[in-house]
Amino acid sequence: MSDDAAPWLIVGLGNPGAEYAGNRHNVGFMVVDLLAERIRGKFKAHKARAQVVEGRVGPPGPANRRVVLAKPMSFMNLSGGPVTALRDFYKVPVDRIVAVHDELDIDYGTLRLKVGGGDNGHNGLKSMTKSLGPDYHRVRCGIGRPPGRMQVADFVLKDFSSTERKDLDWFVDRAADAVECLVTEGLERAQSAYNS
């Protein structure tokens, strides 16, 4: 399969299970859920220990792209295993892999897109980088820092606050737009449109 025929693999990072669904750490799942809704797809279990949806994004014509949306079902700190298995199954080059994840060092509601870089203490990225190397795309969804002396682990595993939830649909919608722009128009165009 040539690179041109390969799909994009868009990985929402999060933890499986209803008790984690509204957590800040699960914003990646929220974004790929919305993308699946947009392409009218239903997640199905994949042997790679992930839920996947296959479809297309973008306008008809040359910018239309084949995508595989994925939610690893392995828990955040083991995301690399399922992502690697999906990469191998769908024959996706690393430059067509996108991780959508929460980011502590960016204010809530802010997006940043980039390729490569460190994991900044994010266990999902740490696991992916260990398996794939660092050169995949990231759509970083800012969640801000924990208030006061709250531990980072407690903060990311809490649901968004009632104030944050007022803007959460808008934020997730904008992140999904950014993913679509990245896949159909390239990183530079997506960065200039969505990096704030």
Side-chain angles (χ1 to χ4, degrees), residues 15-68:
N15 286 308
E19 68 273 34
Y20 299 107
N23 289 180
R24 292 181 177 93
H25 223 15
N26 271 40
V27 73
F29 274 17
M30 295 173 196
V31 173
V32 293
D33 281 341
L34 179 58
L35 286 165
E37 227 174 88
R38 288 181 179 184
I39 63 173
R40 296 186 177 84
K42 291 239 183 293
F43 280 97
K44 294 183 175 66
H46 190 279
K47 64 183 181 186
R49 284 182 310 146
Q51 298 272 329
V52 300
V53 172
E54 295 179 53
R56 302 190 79 86
V57 299
N64 192 262
R65 298 280 183 265
R66 203 170 132 229
V67 294
V68 177

Coordinates of all heavy atoms in Angstrom, one line a residue, residues 15-68:
N15 N -9.4 7.3 29.0 CA -9.6 6.0 29.8 C -10.9 5.4 29.5 O -11.9 6.2 29.5 CB -9.4 6.3 31.3 CG -8.0 6.5 31.7 OD1 -7.1 5.8 31.4 ND2 -7.7 7.6 32.4
P16 N -11.0 4.1 29.3 CA -12.3 3.5 29.0 C -13.1 3.4 30.3 O -12.6 3.3 31.4 CB -11.9 2.1 28.5 CG -10.6 1.8 29.1 CD -9.9 3.1 29.2
G17 N -14.4 3.4 30.2 CA -15.3 3.2 31.3 C -16.1 4.4 31.6 O -15.6 5.6 31.5
A18 N -17.4 4.2 32.0 CA -18.3 5.3 32.3 C -17.8 6.3 33.4 O -18.0 7.5 33.3 CB -19.7 4.8 32.7
E19 N -17.1 5.7 34.4 CA -16.6 6.6 35.5 C -15.6 7.6 35.0 O -15.4 8.6 35.7 CB -16.1 5.8 36.6 CG -14.8 5.0 36.4 CD -14.9 3.6 35.8 OE1 -15.9 3.4 35.0 OE2 -14.1 2.8 36.1
Y20 N -15.0 7.4 33.8 CA -13.9 8.4 33.4 C -14.5 9.3 32.3 O -13.8 10.2 31.8 CB -12.7 7.6 32.8 CG -12.0 6.8 33.8 CD1 -12.2 5.4 33.8 CD2 -11.3 7.3 34.8 CE1 -11.5 4.6 34.7 CE2 -10.6 6.5 35.7 CZ -10.7 5.2 35.7 OH -10.1 4.4 36.6
A21 N -15.7 9.0 31.8 CA -16.2 9.7 30.5 C -16.1 11.2 30.5 O -15.8 11.8 29.5 CB -17.6 9.2 30.2
G22 N -16.4 11.8 31.7 CA -16.4 13.3 31.7 C -15.1 13.9 32.2 O -15.1 15.1 32.4
N23 N -14.1 13.1 32.5 CA -12.8 13.6 33.0 C -12.1 14.5 32.0 O -12.2 14.3 30.8 CB -11.9 12.4 33.3 CG -12.3 11.6 34.5 OD1 -11.6 10.6 34.8 ND2 -13.4 11.9 35.2
R24 N -11.3 15.4 32.6 CA -10.4 16.3 31.7 C -9.5 15.4 30.9 O -9.2 15.7 29.7 CB -9.6 17.2 32.6 CG -10.4 18.3 33.3 CD -9.5 19.2 34.1 NE -10.3 20.2 34.7 CZ -10.8 20.1 36.0 NH1 -10.6 19.1 36.7 NH2 -11.6 21.1 36.5
H25 N -9.0 14.3 31.5 CA -8.1 13.4 30.8 C -8.7 12.7 29.5 O -8.0 12.1 28.7 CB -7.6 12.3 31.8 CG -6.2 12.0 31.7 ND1 -5.2 12.8 31.1 CD2 -5.5 10.9 32.3 CE1 -4.0 12.2 31.3 NE2 -4.2 11.1 32.0
N26 N -10.1 12.8 29.4 CA -10.8 12.1 28.4 C -11.2 13.0 27.2 O -12.0 12.6 26.4 CB -12.0 11.3 28.9 CG -11.6 9.9 29.3 OD1 -10.6 9.7 29.9 ND2 -12.5 9.0 29.1
V27 N -10.7 14.2 27.2 CA -11.1 15.2 26.1 C -10.8 14.6 24.7 O -11.5 14.8 23.8 CB -10.5 16.6 26.4 CG1 -9.0 16.6 26.1 CG2 -11.3 17.6 25.5
G28 N -9.7 13.8 24.6 CA -9.4 13.1 23.4 C -10.5 12.2 22.9 O -10.9 12.2 21.7
F29 N -11.1 11.4 23.8 CA -12.2 10.6 23.5 C -13.4 11.4 23.0 O -14.1 11.1 22.1 CB -12.6 9.8 24.7 CG -11.9 8.5 25.0 CD1 -10.7 8.2 24.3 CD2 -12.4 7.5 25.8 CE1 -10.0 7.0 24.6 CE2 -11.8 6.3 26.0 CZ -10.6 6.0 25.4
M30 N -13.6 12.5 23.7 CA -14.8 13.4 23.4 C -14.6 13.9 21.9 O -15.6 14.0 21.2 CB -14.8 14.6 24.3 CG -15.1 14.2 25.8 SD -15.0 15.7 26.9 CE -14.9 14.8 28.5
V31 N -13.4 14.3 21.5 CA -13.2 14.8 20.2 C -13.4 13.7 19.1 O -14.1 14.0 18.1 CB -11.8 15.5 20.1 CG1 -11.5 15.9 18.6 CG2 -11.7 16.7 21.0
V32 N -12.9 12.5 19.3 CA -13.1 11.5 18.3 C -14.5 11.0 18.3 O -15.0 10.6 17.3 CB -12.1 10.3 18.4 CG1 -10.7 10.8 18.0 CG2 -12.1 9.6 19.7
D33 N -15.2 11.1 19.5 CA -16.6 10.7 19.5 C -17.4 11.7 18.6 O -18.3 11.3 17.8 CB -17.2 10.8 20.9 CG -16.9 9.6 21.7 OD1 -16.6 8.5 21.2 OD2 -17.0 9.7 23.0
L34 N -17.1 13.0 18.6 CA -17.7 14.0 17.8 C -17.4 13.8 16.3 O -18.3 13.8 15.4 CB -17.4 15.4 18.2 CG -18.0 16.5 17.4 CD1 -19.5 16.5 17.4 CD2 -17.5 17.9 17.9
L35 N -16.1 13.5 16.0 CA -15.7 13.2 14.6 C -16.5 12.0 14.1 O -16.9 12.0 12.9 CB -14.2 13.0 14.5 CG -13.4 14.2 14.7 CD1 -11.9 13.9 15.0 CD2 -13.5 15.1 13.4
A36 N -16.7 11.0 14.9 CA -17.4 9.8 14.5 C -18.9 10.1 14.2 O -19.5 9.7 13.2 CB -17.4 8.7 15.6
E37 N -19.4 11.0 15.0 CA -20.8 11.5 14.8 C -20.9 12.2 13.5 O -21.8 12.0 12.7 CB -21.1 12.5 15.9 CG -22.5 12.3 16.6 CD -22.6 13.3 17.8 OE1 -23.0 14.4 17.5 OE2 -22.2 12.9 18.9
R38 N -19.9 13.1 13.2 CA -19.9 13.8 12.0 C -19.9 12.9 10.7 O -20.5 13.3 9.7 CB -18.7 14.8 11.9 CG -18.9 16.0 12.9 CD -17.6 16.8 12.8 NE -17.7 18.0 13.6 CZ -16.8 19.0 13.7 NH1 -15.7 18.9 12.9 NH2 -16.9 20.0 14.5
I39 N -19.2 11.8 10.8 CA -19.1 10.9 9.6 C -20.1 9.8 9.7 O -20.1 8.9 8.9 CB -17.7 10.4 9.4 CG1 -17.2 9.5 10.5 CG2 -16.7 11.5 9.1 CD1 -15.9 8.8 10.3
R40 N -21.0 9.9 10.7 CA -22.1 9.0 10.9 C -21.6 7.6 11.1 O -22.1 6.6 10.5 CB -23.1 9.0 9.7 CG -23.8 10.4 9.7 CD -24.9 10.4 8.6 NE -25.6 11.6 8.6 CZ -25.2 12.7 7.9 NH1 -24.0 12.7 7.3 NH2 -25.9 13.8 8.0
G41 N -20.5 7.4 11.9 CA -19.9 6.1 12.1 C -20.2 5.7 13.6 O -20.4 6.5 14.4
K42 N -20.2 4.4 13.8 CA -20.4 3.8 15.1 C -19.1 3.1 15.5 O -18.6 2.3 14.7 CB -21.5 2.8 15.1 CG -22.9 3.5 15.0 CD -23.8 3.1 16.2 CE -25.2 3.7 16.1 NZ -25.2 5.1 16.1
F43 N -18.6 3.3 16.7 CA -17.4 2.6 17.1 C -17.7 1.1 17.2 O -18.7 0.7 17.7 CB -16.9 3.2 18.5 CG -16.1 4.5 18.3 CD1 -16.7 5.7 18.5 CD2 -14.8 4.4 17.9 CE1 -16.0 6.9 18.3 CE2 -14.1 5.6 17.8 CZ -14.7 6.8 18.0
K44 N -16.7 0.3 16.8 CA -16.7 -1.1 16.9 C -15.4 -1.6 17.5 O -14.4 -1.0 17.3 CB -16.9 -1.8 15.5 CG -18.2 -1.4 14.8 CD -18.3 -2.2 13.5 CE -19.6 -2.0 12.8 NZ -19.9 -0.6 12.4
A45 N -15.5 -2.7 18.3 CA -14.3 -3.3 18.9 C -13.4 -3.8 17.8 O -13.8 -4.4 16.8 CB -14.7 -4.4 19.8
H46 N -12.1 -3.5 18.0 CA -11.1 -4.0 17.1 C -10.1 -4.9 17.9 O -9.9 -4.7 19.1 CB -10.3 -2.8 16.5 CG -9.4 -3.1 15.4 ND1 -8.1 -3.7 15.6 CD2 -9.5 -3.0 14.0 CE1 -7.5 -3.9 14.4 NE2 -8.3 -3.5 13.5
K47 N -9.5 -5.9 17.2 CA -8.7 -6.8 17.9 C -7.4 -6.2 18.5 O -6.8 -6.7 19.4 CB -8.2 -8.0 17.0 CG -7.4 -7.5 15.8 CD -7.0 -8.7 14.9 CE -6.2 -8.2 13.7 NZ -5.9 -9.2 12.8
A48 N -7.2 -4.9 18.1 CA -6.0 -4.2 18.7 C -6.3 -3.6 20.0 O -5.6 -2.7 20.5 CB -5.6 -3.1 17.7
R49 N -7.3 -4.1 20.7 CA -7.7 -3.5 22.0 C -8.1 -2.0 21.9 O -7.6 -1.2 22.6 CB -6.6 -3.7 23.1 CG -6.6 -5.1 23.6 CD -5.5 -5.2 24.7 NE -4.3 -4.6 24.3 CZ -3.4 -4.0 25.0 NH1 -3.6 -3.9 26.3 NH2 -2.3 -3.5 24.5
A50 N -8.9 -1.7 20.9 CA -9.3 -0.4 20.7 C -10.7 -0.4 20.1 O -11.2 -1.4 19.6 CB -8.4 0.3 19.7
Q51 N -11.4 0.7 20.2 CA -12.7 0.9 19.5 C -12.4 1.8 18.2 O -11.6 2.7 18.4 CB -13.7 1.7 20.3 CG -14.1 1.0 21.6 CD -15.2 0.1 21.4 OE1 -16.1 0.3 20.6 NE2 -15.3 -1.0 22.2
V52 N -12.8 1.4 17.1 CA -12.5 2.1 15.8 C -13.7 2.4 15.0 O -14.7 1.7 15.1 CB -11.5 1.4 15.0 CG1 -10.2 1.2 15.7 CG2 -12.0 0.1 14.4
V53 N -13.6 3.5 14.2 CA -14.6 3.9 13.2 C -13.8 4.2 12.0 O -12.8 4.9 12.0 CB -15.4 5.1 13.6 CG1 -16.2 5.6 12.4 CG2 -16.3 4.9 14.8
E54 N -14.2 3.7 10.8 CA -13.5 4.0 9.5 C -14.5 4.9 8.8 O -15.7 4.7 8.8 CB -13.2 2.8 8.7 CG -12.2 1.9 9.4 CD -11.9 0.6 8.6 OE1 -11.6 0.7 7.4 OE2 -12.0 -0.5 9.2
G55 N -13.9 5.9 8.1 CA -14.8 6.8 7.2 C -13.9 7.7 6.5 O -12.7 7.5 6.3
R56 N -14.5 8.8 6.0 CA -13.8 9.9 5.3 C -14.2 11.2 5.8 O -15.3 11.4 6.3 CB -14.2 9.8 3.8 CG -13.9 8.4 3.2 CD -14.1 8.4 1.7 NE -12.9 9.0 1.0 CZ -11.8 8.3 0.7 NH1 -11.7 7.0 0.9 NH2 -10.8 8.9 0.1
V57 N -13.2 12.2 5.8 CA -13.5 13.5 6.2 C -13.1 14.5 5.0 O -12.2 14.1 4.2 CB -12.8 14.0 7.5 CG1 -13.2 13.1 8.6 CG2 -11.3 14.0 7.3
G58 N -13.6 15.6 5.0 CA -13.3 16.6 4.0 C -14.3 16.7 2.9 O -15.1 15.8 2.8
P59 N -14.1 17.7 2.1 CA -15.0 17.9 0.9 C -14.8 16.8 -0.1 O -13.7 16.3 -0.2 CB -14.6 19.3 0.4 CG -13.2 19.5 0.8 CD -13.0 18.7 2.1
P60 N -15.8 16.6 -1.0 CA -15.5 15.6 -2.1 C -14.4 16.1 -2.9 O -14.1 17.3 -3.0 CB -16.8 15.7 -2.9 CG -17.8 16.3 -2.0 CD -17.1 17.2 -1.0
G61 N -13.6 15.2 -3.5 CA -12.5 15.6 -4.3 C -11.1 15.3 -3.7 O -11.1 14.5 -2.8
P62 N -10.1 15.9 -4.2 CA -8.7 15.5 -3.8 C -8.4 15.7 -2.3 O -7.6 15.1 -1.7 CB -7.8 16.4 -4.6 CG -8.6 17.5 -5.2 CD -10.1 17.0 -5.2
A63 N -9.2 16.7 -1.6 CA -8.9 16.9 -0.2 C -9.6 15.9 0.7 O -9.4 15.9 1.9 CB -9.3 18.3 0.2
N64 N -10.5 15.0 0.1 CA -11.2 14.1 0.9 C -10.2 13.0 1.4 O -9.4 12.5 0.6 CB -12.3 13.4 0.0 CG -13.3 12.6 0.9 OD1 -13.2 11.4 0.9 ND2 -14.2 13.3 1.5
R65 N -10.3 12.7 2.7 CA -9.3 11.8 3.3 C -9.9 10.6 4.0 O -10.9 10.8 4.7 CB -8.4 12.5 4.3 CG -7.6 13.7 3.7 CD -6.4 13.2 3.0 NE -5.6 14.3 2.6 CZ -5.6 14.8 1.3 NH1 -6.4 14.3 0.4 NH2 -4.9 15.8 1.0
R66 N -9.3 9.4 3.8 CA -9.7 8.2 4.6 C -9.2 8.3 6.0 O -8.0 8.7 6.1 CB -9.2 7.0 3.9 CG -9.9 5.7 4.2 CD -9.4 4.6 3.2 NE -9.2 3.5 4.1 CZ -8.1 2.7 4.0 NH1 -7.1 3.0 3.2 NH2 -8.0 1.7 4.9
V67 N -10.0 8.1 7.0 CA -9.5 8.2 8.4 C -10.0 6.9 9.1 O -11.0 6.3 8.8 CB -10.1 9.4 9.1 CG1 -9.5 10.7 8.5 CG2 -11.6 9.5 9.1
V68 N -9.2 6.6 10.1 CA -9.6 5.6 11.1 C -9.5 6.4 12.5 O -8.5 6.9 12.9 CB -8.6 4.4 11.2 CG1 -8.9 3.5 12.3 CG2 -8.5 3.7 9.8

